Amino acid sequence: MKRFGLLLLIGLSLAACQEDLEKASFNAYFYYPTSNKEEYLGEVRGLSGCQRIANAKAASLNMTRSTGWSYICCKKTSKSSCESKHR
């Protein structure tokens, strides 16, 4: 029974963390496949918002995931413009 309780606690912690990431502000960056050039896409709310803006940028350039583009979502805090990186 202790193991189930631990798994439940871990699951609840992960859910709370994911919820926090949806409330956080992020700086979104897009990386071009051939040059690895970085383009700042703007500030967005939530990790899913960051993913959407990166996917929209790729779609506007007619790029598929197989072309090798990537993105980074930098979590903003009062102390840092990129406290942690996410995808």
Side-chain angles (χ1 to χ4, degrees):
M1 193 64 176
K2 287 182 182 181
R3 189 175 200 178
F4 176 75
L6 179 60
L7 290 175
L8 180 60
L9 181 60
I10 290 170
L12 292 173
S13 295
L14 287 173
C17 181
Q18 287 173 339
E19 182 179 311
D20 288 345
L21 291 177
E22 286 306 313
K23 293 178 181 176
S25 292
F26 290 90
N27 285 317
Y29 296 89
F30 184 86
Y31 293 90
Y32 289 84
T34 54
S35 65
N36 228 13
K37 176 187 160 203
E38 175 184 273
E39 182 178 340
Y40 178 66
L41 300 178
E43 183 179 333
V44 296
R45 175 70 78 197
L47 189 55
S48 61
C50 183
Q51 294 165 340
R52 274 193 301 277
I53 198 171
N55 284 322
K57 177 65 178 179
S60 75
L61 298 169
N62 294 318
M63 291 183 182
T64 63
R65 267 317 234 174
S66 64
T67 60
W69 66 270
S70 63
Y71 68 97
I72 292 290
C73 306
C74 283
K75 185 178 176 189
K76 291 184 65 176
T77 65
S78 60
K79 296 178 183 177
S80 175
S81 63
C82 193
E83 177 185 83
S84 56
K85 294 179 179 181
H86 303 267
R87 286 198 177 160

